[in-house]
Amino acid sequence: MGPRTASISSTAAAARDALAPEPATLAHWERTLQRANAALRMDQPVMALAYKQQALVIALRIAQDPPAGREDDCIAALVVSHLNLADLQVEAGALEACEQLLCSVHATLLGLMADGSRGTALQQAAWRHSRETHAALVRHVQAHGAHPDITAVLAAASGVLQGAAH
């Protein structure tokens, strides 16, 4: 990580931590994402990064215990948050951080797909959205070359899919 990336990351972390806490809901996630997009439009990348990090934290919380009937929306929020933040990391030249985000979200979805105790609706949502994360991983490899963590998570996905087919 270069000095500019380290500076952006530490400043964004401070800004993210200074944001007022609200309950983790889809509405809060949407407002936070709107703030991030507004910051990008105003050419404030540090604030946009902070809001996108906060949106990811919210998405992680709501995906852990989604409201009944909103499982797909909560998993979509989780995926969008990871992919948005990964895009910002690529723009900042932080490929390792991007790869970690892409692998993390795909592995999370694989875990949800394999966990029968989480309910069918959550498993199905994870299944549907795993196509997006799989495609993001493949695009990343095409654009930036192979990475051992990406190779490992794609292999794990193959194992989960083979298990689901039986």
Side-chain angles (χ1 to χ4, degrees), residues 97-148:
C98 171
E99 292 154 357
Q100 290 172 357
L101 286 161
L102 295 176
C103 289
S104 173
V105 68
H106 199 62
T108 298
L109 295 180
L110 294 175
L112 290 171
M113 289 165 47
D115 185 356
S117 71
R118 297 302 304 263
T120 304
L122 198 59
Q123 285 180 299
Q124 290 174 347
W127 178 267
R128 278 189 297 278
H129 291 285
S130 70
R131 292 183 297 224
E132 296 167 63
T133 58
H134 183 271
L137 287 163
V138 170
R139 281 191 307 273
H140 185 82
V141 168
Q142 290 171 339
H144 304 287
H147 186 276

Side-chain angles (χ1 to χ4, degrees), residues 26-27 30 62-63 66-77 121-122 125:
L26 278 166
E30 289 171 353
I62 61 177
R70 300 296 308 267
E71 294 88 354
D72 193 71
D73 295 331
C74 292
I75 296 302
L122 198 59

Side-chain angles (χ1 to χ4, degrees), residues 2 34 69 76 91 93 96 111-112 142 153:
Q34 289 168 352
E91 289 174 22
E96 187 72 28
L112 290 171
Q142 290 171 339
V153 79

Side-chain angles (χ1 to χ4, degrees), residues 48-64:
L49 180 61
Y51 278 124
K52 289 199 182 213
Q53 288 172 332
Q54 186 183 33
L56 177 58
V57 169
I58 295 165
L60 287 165
R61 286 188 200 153
I62 61 177
Q64 287 301 310

Side-chain angles (χ1 to χ4, degrees), residues 13-85:
R16 179 195 65 232
D17 295 342
L19 298 172
E22 291 182 41
T25 64
L26 278 166
H28 181 209
W29 175 80
E30 289 171 353
R31 284 190 305 274
T32 305
L33 197 57
Q34 289 168 352
R35 289 176 184 135
N37 292 334
L40 282 175
R41 284 190 301 276
M42 293 185 296
D43 198 28
Q44 296 180 353
V46 173
M47 188 54 69
L49 180 61
Y51 278 124
K52 289 199 182 213
Q53 288 172 332
Q54 186 183 33
L56 177 58
V57 169
I58 295 165
L60 287 165
R61 286 188 200 153
I62 61 177
Q64 287 301 310
D65 190 22
R70 300 296 308 267
E71 294 88 354
D72 193 71
D73 295 331
C74 292
I75 296 302
L78 183 71
V79 170
V80 166
S81 291
H82 275 86
L83 297 182
N84 283 345
L85 198 49

